Amino acid sequence: MSKTEFTYLNLPSLFYEKVQPSRLPKPEIALLNQALLNVLGIPNNNLPKLLSFLQLADPNPEAQTFAQAYAGHQFGHFTMLGDGRAIIIGEWVQAENLRYDIQLKGGGRTKYSRGGDGKATYRAMLREYLISESMFHLNIATSRSLAVIKTGEWVQREMVVEGAVLPRIMKSHIRIGTFEFARHFGTLNDLTALCNYSINRLYPQLKTKENSAAALLETVMVSQINLICEWMRVGFIHGVMNTDNVAISGETFDYGPCAFINSYNPNTVYSSIDRDGRYAFKNQANICKWNITRFAEALLPLLHTEEEKAILIAKEIIGTFDQIWVNQYYKTMLLKLGITEVNISLCDWVNELLKIMEEEQMDYTNTFLALGNPDFASETHHCSERFSTWRNNWEKYIENSIGLSKAQAIMQVNNPAFIPRNHEVEKALDEMSMGNAKPFENLLQVLQNPYTYNPTFHSYTNPPQSEFDKKFKTFCGT
Ligand code: AMP
Ligand code: MG
């Protein structure tokens, strides 16, 4: 039987502020994730019931809603942050060991809002809804969006725009930045409480480990490596991998300036604020390691009572990062080529193909799709001599090993046909903002079945014009 709990509030009070979401002047449902709400058993058959569940109806003196405190390294610089425009309305316990935070993004001001207004814009919330749902259907661990609710308020950004609230679920919003907050602003007891809470909630199997903080560090490191390899698999660029946006649950979240790569260029950056390419596609592995190192620093006093020994433990764990990354990355990329073993000479298939794709400006998604899917390949193909030679050699290898049909079956579950192409996302958002929901609904529908190439939807596989994509910029979730 599902119910709402608030176990996070058992942490010392510096970890949160109890705060109620702002009332909405004129709420209106723009999007409803009916299927997900039904799975969760959340009442959604009428607006008043849903608003009341989300604590957006009349003020509720009993409400235990709260904003989380956290810090983080933003573009390399440490700073105090916290939920400045997000409020958790509770933990939805669906079954034993299945607990989700329900958070309202754009829920109103909190004591962590600094100069911000605590609000979110309609367009940015539509974008988060679309991309997070796409990630879910790509089988990548992610927060999920329950709805987009227009607030009926206008929000001041560069221009005055419509406001919205996005209720979303996640196994937990605890981030590396929460640990950095505890380390810098709390006591050893606070840090211990956070560590124990996180283990109990997310990784209970670590409770009995001799050094559970070290086990947590290692587990979070591996789950981040696995997650980011999945991003690389589908060409996803998160865009703002600050430590406050790294969930220790291993879920992707905070869909701000993210976007998917088109023509393959490992240096691709879409985020308007990432001027030095810190979070470029190819840097995601290095940044992952950098972020995990910040996590280790925050955990240091729990790794060992003597600092020197604690540093050694941290170094030993992080010292395994590169090898785990290389194994997981090539395992992931080789599956995109229908190859299930991993060894150094096989990795060259990947490296060589990526080099050709980069130099010949080939589309990342469509190149892999065409290799594994004859239906798609017949509609589009790239045939430079260099690529044809690579392809012939690879085909020979496949025929002499696993066989083409088995390889294709593997490739078809690892290579999406449909990703949210930047131009399609922009079109859907533009139209939706003008009151035409059709392009958004159609795109969402296509993205719900990303691994099955369906010729009816062929146009959704078209990359954007190269001029469009080179100039395309994304913005933080404002
Ligand atoms: P994000 O870019 O969404 O990861 O947010 C970074 C930090 O800025 C977090 O502490 C947010 O809570 C805060 N923030 C972002 N937008 C707003 C806003 N409109 N009002 C208050 N705080 C905000
Ligand atoms: Mg964030």
Side-chain angles (χ1 to χ4, degrees):
M1 183 56 198
S2 26
K3 56 183 176 190
T4 310
E5 288 186 353
F6 300 90
T7 60
Y8 192 83
L9 299 180
N10 296 330
L11 281 171
S13 59
L14 85 163
F15 283 105
Y16 56 84
E17 180 205 20
K18 281 197 189 171
V19 57
Q20 294 214 11
S22 300
R23 301 301 115 189
L24 310 185
K26 204 163 157 272
E28 189 192 323
I29 304 266
L31 287 170
L32 202 58
N33 198 337
Q34 200 102 46
L36 178 58
L37 287 160
N38 290 345
V39 168
L40 294 170
I42 293 175
N44 64 84
N45 47 355
N46 66 51
L47 182 60
K49 266 197 191 160
L50 181 63
L51 291 179
S52 160
F53 175 84
L54 295 173
Q55 305 292 330
L56 287 167
D58 294 334
N60 173 4
E62 311 278 287
Q64 300 266 71
T65 53
F66 61 95
Q68 291 182 326
Y70 53 85
H73 279 83
Q74 296 198 304
F75 289 90
H77 303 287
F78 182 75
T79 182
M80 175 59 200
L81 296 157
D83 284 333
R85 48 108 179 242
I87 295 175
I88 294 182
I89 60 153
E91 297 148 19
W92 187 244
V93 186
Q94 213 194 343
E96 212 183 324
N97 299 332
L98 199 53
R99 176 183 300 267
Y100 298 103
D101 284 344
I102 302 184
Q103 191 203 59
L104 305 179
K105 190 161 176 178
R109 281 184 57 80
T110 74
K111 77 172 188 186
Y112 313 111
S113 296
R114 296 169 289 162
D117 59 7
K119 300 185 194 307
T121 67
Y122 179 44
R123 191 182 171 99
M125 296 308 99
L126 288 174
R127 194 167 194 279
E128 168 150 349
Y129 187 107
L130 188 71
I131 308 229
S132 62
E133 282 305 288
S134 165
M135 291 289 270
F136 171 77
H137 291 286
L138 287 162
N139 302 326
I140 298 177
T142 176
S143 64
R144 288 195 71 188
S145 304
L146 295 175
V148 175
I149 303 170
K150 286 209 231 179
T151 59
E153 272 175 334
W154 294 91
V155 177
Q156 181 70 51
R157 294 291 180 264
E158 270 174 27
M159 291 181 303
V160 176
V161 292
E162 286 183 281
V165 171
L166 175 116
R168 69 181 184 190
I169 59 163
M170 229 174 127
K171 282 188 191 151
S172 155
H173 285 82
I174 295 173
R175 22 186 128 219
I176 290 180
T178 321
F179 281 82
E180 294 179 283
F181 167 77
R183 176 77 205 273
H184 287 265
F185 301 106
T187 62
L188 183 58
N189 282 346
D190 296 325
L191 185 62
T192 308
L194 178 65
C195 184
N196 290 342
Y197 177 80
S198 303
I199 288 176
N200 268 324
R201 178 157 170 185
L202 294 166
Y203 302 108
Q205 72 278 17
L206 305 183
K207 264 192 280 192
T208 51
K209 295 277 177 191
E210 203 180 318
N211 187 339
S212 55
L216 181 66
L217 173 60
E218 195 170 7
T219 305
V220 171
M221 178 178 83
V222 172
S223 80
Q224 278 299 312
I225 290 175
N226 291 343
L227 179 68
I228 291 161
C229 285
E230 285 291 274
W231 295 356
M232 305 305 280
R233 176 172 68 80
V234 299
F236 177 77
I237 309 173
H238 183 281
V240 61
M241 290 171 69
N242 294 331
T243 55
D244 52 300
N245 290 335
V246 179
I248 62 157
S249 62
E251 295 165 289
T252 315
F253 84 126
D254 263 13
Y255 290 88
C258 59
F260 286 70
I261 204 163
N262 293 294
S263 166
Y264 181 66
N265 178 347
N267 298 311
T268 304
V269 175
Y270 291 113
S271 167
S272 59
I273 56 169
D274 190 3
R275 292 196 189 88
D276 303 324
R278 180 180 170 89
Y279 300 132
F281 185 68
K282 70 169 184 196
N283 287 350
Q284 298 191 116
N286 287 338
I287 286 295
C288 176
K289 186 174 177 183
W290 194 90
N291 287 342
I292 292 297
T293 309
R294 304 289 81 73
F295 187 40
E297 283 168 3
L299 282 171
L300 226 42
L302 304 183
L303 296 178
H304 200 283
T305 47
E306 292 170 43
E307 193 178 49
E308 270 178 27
K309 289 193 178 143
I311 292 174
L312 281 181
I313 295 171
K315 277 193 171 158
E316 195 180 320
I317 294 171
I318 295 172
T320 63
F321 183 101
D322 292 352
Q323 195 56 50
I324 301 175
W325 172 272
V326 165
N327 288 347
Q328 187 60 26
Y329 174 74
Y330 282 108
K331 185 173 156 201
T332 306
M333 295 303 288
L334 283 165
L335 286 173
K336 286 175 78 62
L337 295 176
I339 301 173
T340 51
E341 322 153 54
V342 184
N343 68 45
I344 288 187
S345 67
L346 291 172
C347 296
D348 283 343
W349 287 117
V350 175
N351 299 337
E352 178 63 15
L353 176 62
L354 290 177
K355 206 150 74 177
I356 299 172
M357 283 167 66
E358 182 182 355
E359 284 170 19
E360 301 190 11
Q361 299 186 17
M362 295 164 71
D363 186 78
Y364 188 71
T365 302
N366 289 353
T367 302
F368 285 104
L369 179 63
L371 285 171
N373 193 321
D375 293 341
F376 181 75
S378 64
E379 298 203 24
T380 140
H381 66 280
H382 182 91
C383 59
S384 74
E385 209 180 307
R386 197 169 159 211
F387 178 64
S388 301
T389 308
W390 178 93
R391 191 195 164 111
N392 291 341
N393 289 337
W394 166 76
E395 266 172 4
K396 264 188 228 141
Y397 169 79
I398 290 290
E399 274 156 19
N400 293 330
S401 53
I402 190 170
L404 198 56
S405 65
K406 267 196 189 157
Q408 282 173 345
I410 294 167
M411 293 168 82
Q412 282 168 26
V413 293
N414 283 283
N415 296 322
F418 301 111
I419 54 157
R421 299 277 185 181
N422 295 333
H423 61 302
E424 291 290 353
V425 173
E426 288 302 291
K427 185 172 86 186
L429 298 182
D430 287 346
E431 290 288 330
M432 188 86 169
S433 305
M434 290 187 296
N436 174 17
K438 211 72 210 144
F440 189 100
E441 287 167 4
N442 291 345
L443 180 58
L444 191 60
Q445 192 200 341
V446 168
L447 296 174
Q448 280 168 359
N449 204 355
Y451 292 103
T452 308
Y453 171 64
N454 177 346
T456 315
F457 301 134
H458 183 81
S459 68
Y460 289 93
T461 66
N462 291 337
Q465 300 282 331
S466 134
E467 276 315 296
F468 170 95
D469 207 46
K470 279 188 188 139
K471 288 194 195 132
F472 182 69
K473 286 278 164 267
T474 53
F475 299 88
C476 270
T478 47

